[in-house]
Amino acid sequence: MATDDMWIWDGGRVCLDFTNTLRDRWRATPRETLRNAGDLARWLQEAELLTPDAPPPTAAAALASGRHLRETVDRAVLAVAAGRLPSSDDIALLNRSTAEALRPAPQLAVTDGRLEPLRTTNLATDPAAALALVAQDAVELLLSAEIRRVRVCGADTCALRFLDRSPARNRRWCSMSRCGNRTKVRLHQARTRQSGHTPQD
């Protein structure tokens, strides 16, 4: 079972959080956090895509399908963020996946004298439908102006994907508290060593 520190929610979009379930992509052998079908179901529930009472997937095919979608999303997002087109195979898989998403009928509400869309639940009742919601989010990101704000964490030992919503569009770290501070401390210590001073000097 994956631990909470393995599932990081700093992507800014559910599809990016999903790509980040494969950790340490900078390594020759990245760290897998979706090790079994139960892990996949738990991640989908924590991402608020799957109902808590949904029966967990038991087939290895469900896990393989989830991992395949994850890597397809990752390739497509990084390609478009860099100004390239995704492969035709990746486009086809995303289109097939989004076609399975259950979209609730739009509803209206009046709030403070204004007509607004009524918020509706989008929770899926099975993992396949929940994965379709991940694919749908990826397609929406690929077609939006936000795709140009997708970044890969600048820390040498991270590589998490995230959406840079900073006003200056210059966010470098997946999280300042995790990678940003650690990198700054490491660089400060390296400069201190090079100057021949200890922090107490």
Side-chain angles (χ1 to χ4, degrees), residues 65 69 92-101 128-129 131-133 135-136:
S65 176
L69 174 63
L93 188 136
L94 287 171
N95 285 340
R96 281 196 309 273
S97 297
T98 57
E100 297 177 21
L131 287 171
L133 295 174
Q136 181 181 341

Side-chain angles (χ1 to χ4, degrees), residues 28-161:
T29 305
R31 181 165 44 114
E32 180 62 74
T33 69
L34 303 179
R35 292 175 292 219
N36 54 55
D39 284 342
L40 174 62
R42 282 186 289 275
W43 187 91
L44 292 169
Q45 287 167 342
E46 288 191 31
E48 299 183 347
L49 298 175
L50 183 65
T51 56
D53 57 348
T58 55
L63 179 62
S65 176
R67 288 177 176 175
H68 186 49
L69 174 63
R70 177 186 64 194
E71 298 313 298
T72 298
V73 169
D74 191 54
R75 285 191 303 270
V77 165
L78 291 183
V80 178
R84 303 187 311 272
L85 290 173
S87 73
S88 57
D89 287 345
D90 288 347
I91 290 172
L93 188 136
L94 287 171
N95 285 340
R96 281 196 309 273
S97 297
T98 57
E100 297 177 21
L102 299 174
R103 295 173 180 87
Q107 303 285 306
L108 295 172
V110 176
T111 306
D112 296 327
R114 290 189 322 239
L115 201 58
E116 294 184 345
L118 181 68
R119 293 180 64 89
T120 56
T121 181
N122 216 15
L123 289 181
T125 56
D126 69 85
L131 287 171
L133 295 174
V134 173
Q136 181 181 341
D137 185 63
V139 168
E140 290 170 357
L141 175 60
L142 290 167
L143 294 173
S144 76
E146 281 194 322
I147 189 63
R148 298 295 183 186
R149 292 188 173 212
V150 171
R151 306 281 186 265
V152 176
C153 183
D156 293 339
T157 57
C158 182
L160 288 179
R161 284 72 163 122

